[in-house]
Amino acid sequence: EKNIIDQLVYLQLENFKKRVWDKASSIQPPQWLDWYKTIVLASIVEKEERSTANRPTVAGILLKRLQLGTLVGADISLCYFYKIPYSECKPSFIATKVTETNNPYNTRAVKGLPPTPVSNPTANSIMATLQPNQTEYFFYLHDNNGTIHYAKTLDEHNQNKNTYLE
């Protein structure tokens, strides 16, 4: 007879297999991104973008940044380190922590992905990470209403900041 913890773990693994692995296992992540890193990135996508429709575009932007060796720049990873809920993860908080290079979760100062997932990614976020939208965008931000705005260049991104953020 299995104990309750074994049963719980078994049910979680079966649920993951049914909801995610059966669909995702036939899709190979890019050669430079293994399955663990795919889950780490999907966990960022999960918290960076609430809209399932926009997640493939956000995943594509973050993958592009990783592939080019630039900073991922995801606010949620920094907030995760400090146990700040996403709803409270505001630019004013980020601005005080952005230069911390000794924090492996600070994707605004440390290249690459954080060492662990920052959330429990849904099947949608995992699939968005495995099948990202290829766009010309390199930046995104959310306005005060949560609407996402994309930009191709830093100048466009800075204009979006001036237009959409207080």
Side-chain angles (χ1 to χ4, degrees):
E1 181 176 314
K2 294 180 181 178
N3 69 35
I4 189 74
I5 293 173
D6 288 342
Q7 290 174 357
L8 179 61
V9 169
Y10 176 79
L11 287 173
Q12 288 175 322
L13 290 172
E14 281 299 307
N15 190 37
F16 181 82
K17 181 183 180 303
K18 213 177 347 180
R19 290 178 161 222
V20 178
W21 190 249
D22 288 347
K23 296 174 193 170
S25 63
S26 64
I27 305 166
Q28 286 299 310
Q31 290 180 336
W32 49 271
L33 194 68
D34 62 26
W35 278 106
Y36 182 74
K37 289 178 181 174
T38 299
I39 298 300
V40 172
L41 183 57
S43 77
I44 293 172
V45 171
E46 177 74 25
K47 291 298 182 179
E48 283 283 309
E49 179 52 46
R50 293 181 190 145
S51 166
T52 57
N54 294 334
R55 286 182 183 159
T57 301
V58 170
I61 291 168
L62 298 178
L63 279 163
K64 186 186 306 184
R65 292 177 187 174
L66 276 171
Q67 190 171 21
L68 293 173
T70 61
L71 296 171
V72 172
D75 293 347
I76 192 58
S77 60
L78 187 57
C79 290
Y80 172 83
F81 181 79
Y82 285 101
K83 299 175 177 53
I84 304 293
Y86 186 70
S87 60
E88 297 173 25
C89 188
K90 305 291 182 203
S92 57
F93 172 78
I94 299 298
T96 65
K97 307 295 183 190
V98 75
T99 59
E100 294 178 345
T101 57
N102 62 339
N103 175 349
Y105 288 86
N106 187 356
T107 59
R108 287 184 171 260
V110 179
K111 286 186 180 179
L113 291 169
T116 66
V118 298
S119 73
N120 184 14
T122 59
N124 177 275
S125 291
I126 294 169
M127 294 306 290
T129 303
L130 289 170
Q131 298 175 312
N133 287 344
Q134 304 298 321
T135 68
E136 295 180 27
Y137 301 127
F138 202 75
F139 301 95
Y140 63 91
L141 62 80
H142 295 87
D143 64 24
N144 295 324
N145 297 320
T147 302
I148 195 164
H149 301 276
Y150 301 106
K152 297 174 189 172
T153 67
L154 183 57
D155 285 342
E156 287 177 12
H157 183 58
N158 287 333
Q159 181 60 48
N160 283 346
K161 284 180 184 179
N162 291 335
T163 303
Y164 300 110
L165 299 179
E166 293 179 332

